[in-house]
């Protein structure tokens, strides 16, 4: 799987999702901003996931539903967000 594509299926493991997102963040040059935002928003990530679930019907007009689901699941899991933060800090 190329780092430029975000998986759109629900059958991708969390490590692949974290790896893909970290590559995308690096590709856009947003590593330091992302680390800062993860530090600040980590305690509120579960609420952000719930907001995504509520807004999903409207967001589907501009963003593929499987990707919304993937990001919402990622936001619900603090361990995966911490893993993403560690990967960003290492690279």
């Amino acid at each position: 799987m190329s780092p430029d594509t975000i998986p759109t299926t629900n059958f991708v493991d969390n490590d692949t999702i974290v790896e893909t997102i970290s590559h995308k963040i690096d590709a856009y040059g947003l590593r330091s901003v992302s680390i800062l935002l993860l530090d600040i928003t980590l305690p509120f990530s579960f609420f952000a996931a719930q907001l995504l679930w509520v807004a999903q019907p409207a967001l589907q007009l501009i963003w593929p539903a499987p990707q919304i689901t993937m990001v919402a699941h990622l936001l619900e899991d603090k361990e995966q967000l911490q893993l993403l933060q560690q990967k960003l800090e290492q690279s």
Side-chain angles (χ1 to χ4, degrees), residues 46-74:
F46 181 78
F47 297 112
Q50 298 307 306
L51 182 62
L52 271 179
W53 289 121
V54 170
Q56 184 177 16
L59 287 174
Q60 286 179 356
L61 298 172
I62 58 171
W63 200 11
Q67 288 184 359
I68 296 170
T69 302
M70 177 193 67
V71 171
H73 282 297
L74 180 68

Side-chain angles (χ1 to χ4, degrees), residues 5-23:
T5 60
I6 295 178
T8 57
T9 66
N10 294 335
F11 304 109
V12 178
D13 63 270
N14 286 336
D15 292 335
T16 304
I17 293 169
V18 168
E19 191 69 34
T20 303
I21 290 174
S22 69
H23 284 301

Side-chain angles (χ1 to χ4, degrees), residues 37-47 78 81:
L37 287 175
L38 281 169
D39 275 339
I40 294 170
T41 60
L42 191 62
F44 307 106
S45 61
F46 181 78
F47 297 112
K78 287 190 187 219
L81 286 174

Side-chain angles (χ1 to χ4, degrees), residues 14 17-19 21-23 25-26 30-43 45 74 77-91:
N14 286 336
I17 293 169
V18 168
E19 191 69 34
I21 290 174
S22 69
H23 284 301
I25 289 170
D26 278 340
L30 299 172
R31 183 184 320 140
S32 58
V33 173
S34 299
I35 292 170
L36 177 66
L37 287 175
L38 281 169
D39 275 339
I40 294 170
T41 60
L42 191 62
S45 61
L74 180 68
D77 189 353
K78 287 190 187 219
E79 291 177 8
Q80 292 299 318
L81 286 174
Q82 290 170 342
L83 178 64
L84 175 61
Q85 187 175 17
Q86 289 171 359
K87 284 194 179 289
L88 290 172
E89 289 172 350
Q90 290 172 358
S91 41

